[in-house]
Amino acid sequence: MSRFAYVNGRYRPQRDACVNIEDRGYQFADGIYEVIHIHDGRFVDTDLHLARLARSLREIAIPAPMDDASLLVVLREVVRRNRVHEGIVYMQITRGVARRDHAFPKSVPPSLVVTARHGHPFPRDIASWAGIAITVPDIRWGRCDIKTINLLPNCLAKQRAREAGAYEAILIDRSGHITEGASTTVWAVDANGILRTRHLDDYILPGCTRAALTALLRDSAIPFEERGLTEAEFRDAREVFLTSATSFVKPIVAVDGVPIANGLPGPITTRLFTLFTRHADGVAHNAAPRLASATGIG
Ligand code: PDD
């Protein structure tokens, strides 16, 4: 089946869809993106993703190409044309097309590209969804909170993971703390049984899945702290898992070849896997909108 893309006002067969070679996304990675999971034909955590998209645009002073309602129409149309029921919708906004010059061009409209693609069905069996990870140094820049298309360090890290047969590369910063995965949020249950993920600041992306899960955690009795782990604490963890729009809640059962605890998904990871599955299935569908501002995303 041929795929369709939206490019600057037109829906095109994807093989014919193209952008100008002087688009600043192509020249400078001067743009931002979002990935929204489509489950059972619905977008998951749409409001969180649109709030983060708006924030990313604001932070690098790119005007929004259209309002949220219009963008949603485009997203839905791309998904409809591609007949995606389980998968992702991808949107990318760049500063637009201009003669190559580092400083911002004046009065240039931003470029918007939207694609959608089929993905693996939502995992139902936690054991078969478990994966392994490696650790690599975090060599990224100082504004990882912005979801820019400038992903070269993330790609280098992910490639190292693939070559090691691992699902994810977990990044360790210069101070010896875990930041996040190449394309995921990292969580761990520490040696004291406390669920932890790093606090939000300029050095990690405020994950939408993280925000949704944090809200779900409020009604659980699971002890939780937004406090990063040192490498030593991380290697001592009882449980490790990742979250993202495409990883959901993904148990990590070994890091750098060393099993985490008994090498099986742990009890807290299993509870959160179930909670998030219910959320994605729509049981807690109304939790997301009121979260955007409370979670560092909006
Ligand atoms: N990645 N950290 C990084 C560096 C990411 O790239 C992502 C998402 C996340 C998790 O964010 P969220 O829960 O909102 O998906 C954390 C997407 C899926 C990607 O680049 O394809």
Side-chain angles (χ1 to χ4, degrees):
M1 193 190 94
S2 52
R3 295 176 64 195
F4 289 88
Y6 171 94
V7 183
N8 293 326
R10 297 178 69 186
Y11 297 95
R12 317 248 322 161
Q14 193 153 315
R15 61 175 179 277
D16 302 329
C18 48
V19 292
N20 192 300
I21 57 168
E22 287 203 302
D23 190 282
R24 287 179 62 96
Y26 183 64
Q27 298 277 1
F28 295 115
D30 184 359
I32 59 98
Y33 75 106
E34 275 298 328
V35 176
I36 303 182
H37 175 53
I38 302 161
H39 175 47
D40 203 13
R42 280 189 302 104
F43 297 146
V44 177
D45 295 329
T46 319
D47 304 271
L48 292 170
H49 286 281
L50 294 186
R52 187 172 63 187
L53 182 85
R55 179 184 186 276
S56 295
L57 288 172
R58 263 198 323 272
E59 291 299 312
I60 60 170
I62 293 181
M66 57 182 68
D67 61 27
D68 280 1
S70 309
L71 180 59
L72 271 172
V73 170
V74 172
L75 300 182
R76 290 204 181 101
E77 182 58 16
V78 172
V79 170
R80 191 188 69 76
R81 288 188 188 222
N82 287 286
R83 297 189 203 157
V84 175
H85 198 65
E86 294 287 333
I88 59 161
V89 61
Y90 174 87
M91 68 218 78
Q92 173 172 314
I93 300 169
T94 72
R95 202 177 304 278
V97 177
R99 200 174 73 110
R100 189 176 181 279
D101 183 6
H102 288 65
F104 298 173
K106 287 199 175 64
S107 314
V108 165
S111 302
L112 170 63
V113 169
V114 179
T115 57
R117 71 168 197 229
H118 299 273
H120 45 72
F122 199 86
R124 298 288 165 184
D125 170 36
I126 189 167
S128 54
W129 187 235
I132 62 172
I134 59 166
T135 56
V136 300
D138 190 344
I139 58 168
R140 299 174 304 160
W141 71 321
R143 288 303 306 275
C144 299
D145 58 313
I146 305 169
K147 198 164 174 63
T148 78
I149 56 174
N150 189 343
L151 289 172
L152 183 56
N154 308 60
C155 294
L156 294 174
K158 193 71 98 178
Q159 180 59 21
R160 279 183 59 182
R162 287 293 175 276
E163 285 168 9
Y167 179 80
E168 183 59 301
I170 291 174
L171 311 177
I172 302 180
D173 70 13
R174 289 181 185 81
S175 72
H177 287 80
I178 305 298
T179 49
E180 58 186 333
S183 64
T184 54
T185 302
V186 175
W187 307 64
V189 178
D190 71 13
N192 300 316
I194 297 170
L195 173 64
R196 286 163 63 181
T197 192
R198 193 183 182 286
H199 62 281
L200 296 175
D201 62 10
D202 292 353
Y203 297 103
I204 62 168
L205 187 77
C208 294
T209 318
R210 166 198 177 123
L213 202 59
T214 304
L216 297 172
L217 270 170
R218 283 191 202 126
D219 298 330
S220 78
I222 298 170
F224 170 56
E225 287 178 24
E226 290 185 296
R227 180 161 61 92
L229 291 99
T230 63
E231 184 178 346
E233 287 176 315
F234 183 68
R235 294 199 189 281
D236 225 20
R238 293 182 190 172
E239 300 181 37
V240 172
F241 65 91
L242 310 172
T243 56
S244 80
T246 48
S247 303
F248 324 114
V249 171
K250 173 102 182 166
I252 292 298
V253 293
V255 174
D256 294 331
V258 179
I260 303 290
N262 62 1
L264 295 169
I268 291 181
T269 308
T270 305
R271 266 184 76 189
L272 296 178
F273 178 87
T274 306
L275 275 179
F276 190 75
T277 302
R278 288 178 53 215
H279 170 70
D281 282 344
V283 172
H285 190 52
N286 296 326
R290 58 189 157 81
L291 289 174
S293 59
T295 50
I297 285 177

